[in-house]
Amino acid sequence: MNTGRPVAYFSLSLMNFTAQRVPYQHTGYFSRIITDYLSGNEFLKNYYEHPVTFSGIEDAIIQREKFPTDRRLLVKSLETQYADLPIHDAVKKNLESLSDKNTFTVTTAHQPAIFTGNLYFIYKILHTIKIAETLSDRYPKRHFVPVFFMGSEDADIDELGNIYLDNEKLTWDTKQIGAVGRMHMAGLETIIERIEGEFAGDPFGPELINLLKDCYLKSENIQQATLKLLNHLFGSYGLIILIPDNRLLKFVMGAIFKDDLTTHIPFEITRKNIQQLSTQYPIQANPREINLFYLKDDIRERVEMKNESYYVNNTSIHFSAEEMEKELADFPDRFSPNVILRGLYQDSILPNIVFVGGGGEIGYWLELKPLFNHYCVPFPVLILRDSFLLIKKSWKTKMDKAGISATDIFKPEDKLMEDFIRRHSNRQLNLAPQIADLSTFYNTLKNISGAVDKTLEQHVDKLESQALQKLEELEKKILRAEKKNHEDVRRKIHEIREALFPMENLQERIDNFIPWYSEYGKAFLELIYYHCLALDQEFVILEEIG
């Protein structure tokens, strides 16, 4: 069944695409907790505060207005962060507006993956921008600022230090450890040279390569490079990029960090909530008794408590209780929250009303509501980021020849092939009439034998079951034999699926934005922005038609 519906036509100077929407449930790529969340599952309503509606947004605004956000501290920190960057007028306007009590933020977050990592990195930012602009239009007496909260303290270089181009994994060869955002650039020039060799001849290839060189080879560290790159790509949209690895901002979290270290309140609160949630769904993130890392120079290691003293894993660093209290008071920037506390930090320093995240992120945010309630921090509206499948004209042509619609493409290869065979074969492939005749035949036998001895009916049922199984096996063999007569179609279907679902995953979870930007430039960003759905929650397929 075709589950999508045409929703828009968009034409840019270089890009002509049509859009179709598909319910996330029909793609097969999203977890049950996400599809249940989107459908308004009753059980999950206890785990979030506001529905994804304008009324939910309005309630979030009312709650946020009661929370004492330190706007002066936020603006001061951001002005310092942007001091050495060219600032677009839209960014300047949004920075200034954050001082106003009628300004609120719409926030997304991600680690500083090199060269933006996967396509969804771009999608979640543009979706955040679209929501902020939609709300600003709807509520003209208020202003809404899109914010990218950079997870620069993450230490997972194995996840953040690579990209895929044409299914080839390019890995940053570095031995650095600690927070990825603090890492210097040595070794990235090799990947940029590889990019230059492949994309320099594209229409916007030279522009992109110069941008990557400027951001990554002329910056002090990864978080500064990411800041420069995102400021260049999204400054005209007014995006504010916030680097939370900031001494002044972390002072705001002093009391909560102290609770985490001493009384383990965050652990106790989230553990109880997660136990309840886990009766229905797998858990995304588990709390620890201490949910802080110690962050200093190239160290980012867990803090653990043993015998009333504190130890930093994999180091010789340790503190008595009194020393740890002084360390936190003097150097809050040396403490880095894990996933359990990161959202609380984000919404303690921002006047935030919406969080835009992927499936995994929404999953762990659903664990956190009681923690926000305990510390009286308003819980934001949780919006699943937009997802896209991009189908270039060459692939659309191949799909048309194979009789595959855009919404059919989510089906497994075997099902696509079976559908094709049933549409195009002039032979009988379905034994339904024969199976019906078989049922009639055995019903007659059952009546005959049952009239003699009722116990014989069970024997007839068994014979019918065996015969039915044989017919079903025969039907499968007939279909397999017919598939062999269309081997060329099978290869085309495999080629299409392999291209649009690299490594058997969603395109957005593997591919990078570089090939698209090098061919289309900022028109690519405009295309995605135009088709972002704001509060609607559906998967979007974009097909090139010209």
Side-chain angles (χ1 to χ4, degrees), residues 483-537:
K483 284 180 181 180
K484 290 180 181 179
N485 296 328
H486 297 273
E487 184 63 20
D488 57 330
V489 175
R490 189 200 64 78
R491 285 195 297 269
K492 287 177 182 177
I493 289 175
H494 176 74
E495 183 184 15
I496 293 167
R497 280 277 311 182
E498 195 173 49
L500 299 182
F501 296 87
M503 302 170 66
E504 300 183 355
N505 212 325
L506 285 178
Q507 179 190 66
E508 63 184 34
R509 298 177 186 174
I510 302 295
D511 288 356
N512 183 268
F513 89 109
I514 286 173
W516 294 92
Y517 194 96
S518 67
E519 184 171 353
Y520 301 110
K522 285 196 173 183
F524 171 65
L525 305 181
E526 287 292 327
L527 173 74
I528 300 301
Y529 169 77
Y530 182 87
H531 287 291
C532 283
L533 301 179
L535 302 194
D536 290 348
Q537 299 274 265

Side-chain angles (χ1 to χ4, degrees), residues 260-377:
D260 187 68
L261 288 165
T262 57
T263 59
H264 314 310
I265 288 175
F267 169 72
E268 294 298 337
I269 291 173
T270 52
R271 181 180 61 166
K272 292 177 183 177
N273 195 49
I274 287 170
Q275 285 174 346
Q276 296 170 352
L277 187 61
S278 68
T279 63
Q280 297 291 326
Y281 304 99
I283 295 307
Q284 293 292 321
N286 280 299
R288 298 180 179 275
E289 286 196 351
I290 295 177
N291 295 283
L292 292 169
F293 293 86
Y294 190 69
L295 182 67
K296 184 179 180 182
D297 301 325
D298 63 352
I299 295 171
R300 187 182 186 256
E301 294 286 350
R302 288 204 322 267
V303 177
E304 294 190 346
M305 192 174 188
K306 300 175 185 177
N307 301 321
E308 299 184 359
S309 293
Y310 296 90
Y311 294 84
V312 179
N313 268 9
N314 300 316
T315 75
S316 59
I317 301 172
H318 60 277
F319 303 92
S320 66
E322 294 77 13
E323 289 170 337
M324 178 58 85
E325 185 173 348
K326 186 176 188 306
E327 184 79 358
L328 177 60
D330 293 345
F331 305 103
D333 50 312
R334 293 181 181 175
F335 295 84
S336 175
N338 72 1
V339 67
I340 298 298
L341 293 180
R342 190 181 301 142
L344 193 62
Y345 176 32
Q346 170 190 292
D347 279 36
S348 294
I349 60 178
L350 290 168
N352 197 46
I353 58 160
V354 171
F355 179 74
V356 181
E361 290 169 297
I362 299 300
Y364 71 68
W365 271 81
L366 291 171
E367 303 172 7
L368 303 178
K369 179 184 168 186
L371 186 63
F372 277 66
N373 291 345
H374 177 82
Y375 288 107
C376 301
V377 177

Side-chain angles (χ1 to χ4, degrees), residues 393-489:
K393 186 178 180 181
S394 58
W395 290 109
K396 184 181 184 320
T397 301
K398 292 178 181 180
M399 288 168 60
D400 290 343
K401 290 181 179 178
I404 302 172
S405 71
T407 51
D408 285 339
I409 195 62
F410 289 102
K411 296 177 181 177
E413 285 185 30
D414 284 348
K415 186 64 172 70
L416 290 172
M417 187 64 192
E418 181 178 330
D419 290 347
F420 177 88
I421 294 298
R422 294 193 185 280
R423 286 195 307 268
H424 294 88
S425 178
N426 55 9
R427 301 179 177 89
Q428 180 182 340
L429 304 174
N430 188 314
L431 298 182
Q434 286 72 31
I435 291 174
D437 290 344
L438 183 74
S439 179
T440 301
F441 173 71
Y442 276 99
N443 279 334
T444 301
L445 287 184
K446 191 184 296 185
N447 292 333
I448 294 171
S449 59
V452 178
D453 185 343
K454 280 287 184 182
T455 62
L456 292 175
E457 290 182 357
Q458 294 181 354
H459 179 63
V460 175
D461 285 338
K462 185 176 180 180
L463 291 174
E464 180 181 7
S465 178
Q466 292 172 343
L468 180 62
Q469 181 180 353
K470 296 294 185 182
L471 276 184
E472 290 172 346
E473 290 175 357
L474 177 60
E475 185 179 63
K476 291 177 182 178
K477 289 180 179 180
I478 291 171
L479 188 59
R480 282 199 297 270
E482 183 67 354
K483 284 180 181 180
K484 290 180 181 179
N485 296 328
H486 297 273
E487 184 63 20
D488 57 330
V489 175

Side-chain angles (χ1 to χ4, degrees), residues 215-227:
C215 294
Y216 285 93
L217 303 184
K218 297 179 182 178
S219 297
E220 179 183 348
N221 52 40
I222 290 292
Q223 64 187 15
Q224 288 299 320
T226 305
L227 171 62

